[in-house]
Amino acid sequence: QVELVESGGGSVPSGGSLRLSCVRSGDTVSNFCMGWFRQSPGKEREGVAVMKTGSGSTVYADSVKGRFTLSQDNAKNTLYLQMNSLKPEDTGMYYCAARPVVGWRSCFLFEPPRSYNYWGQGAQVTVSS
């Protein structure tokens, strides 16, 4: 089975930056849709950003475009989410998630959380105003 382990998160003032990391292990395929969902109290999980690991292509939620950036270290099977210019509305629990994908298929944010097979333990991000 695939395991995802997250690190990062924390508390920062508005306008600050944080970087989340997610290490993937146990996989036997090359291509995953992999990224982060976030959830605030009383709200559903929403897609933040996703990468197709085989190609490095990325998709971002409109609310984070220009502020968040995904990157990966293939040798370490690690995905990073650099979050800059953080806003209070970015506050929430951030969950790394991954699902296998065939090589010709793209990854999209409209694919619901239930479509993802593997999940990290979550990392709390708190942005004060």
Side-chain angles (χ1 to χ4, degrees):
Q1 69 275 20
V2 174
E3 183 178 3
L4 304 178
V5 179
E6 296 182 65
S7 61
S11 298
V12 295
S14 180
S17 297
L18 289 169
R19 190 175 80 160
L20 304 180
S21 300
C22 184
V23 180
R24 184 183 72 252
S25 64
D27 54 290
T28 58
V29 299
S30 298
N31 289 297
F32 286 84
C33 293
M34 185 171 174
W36 271 269
F37 291 77
R38 67 186 179 189
Q39 187 170 22
S40 299
K43 293 185 176 181
E44 296 181 341
R45 291 188 186 186
E46 62 175 344
V48 176
V50 64
M51 174 184 288
K52 186 175 181 180
T53 60
S55 66
S57 62
T58 55
V59 183
Y60 300 92
D62 288 342
S63 60
V64 307
K65 285 181 180 177
R67 300 188 296 120
F68 291 13
T69 304
L70 285 170
S71 61
Q72 67 177 333
D73 185 334
N74 288 325
K76 298 180 179 179
N77 286 338
T78 301
L79 188 72
Y80 304 96
L81 181 64
Q82 180 67 44
M83 304 183 292
N84 297 326
S85 301
L86 283 162
K87 304 175 180 179
E89 50 262 45
D90 295 317
T91 294
M93 187 71 71
Y94 283 67
Y95 295 93
C96 182
R99 65 175 180 86
V101 64
V102 295
W104 52 265
R105 180 74 158 79
S106 297
C107 301
F108 304 98
L109 282 180
F110 64 72
E111 295 163 331
R114 66 178 182 272
S115 71
Y116 283 76
N117 307 90
Y118 310 107
W119 292 85
Q121 79 279 13
Q124 179 66 40
V125 172
T126 302
V127 185
S128 61
S129 57

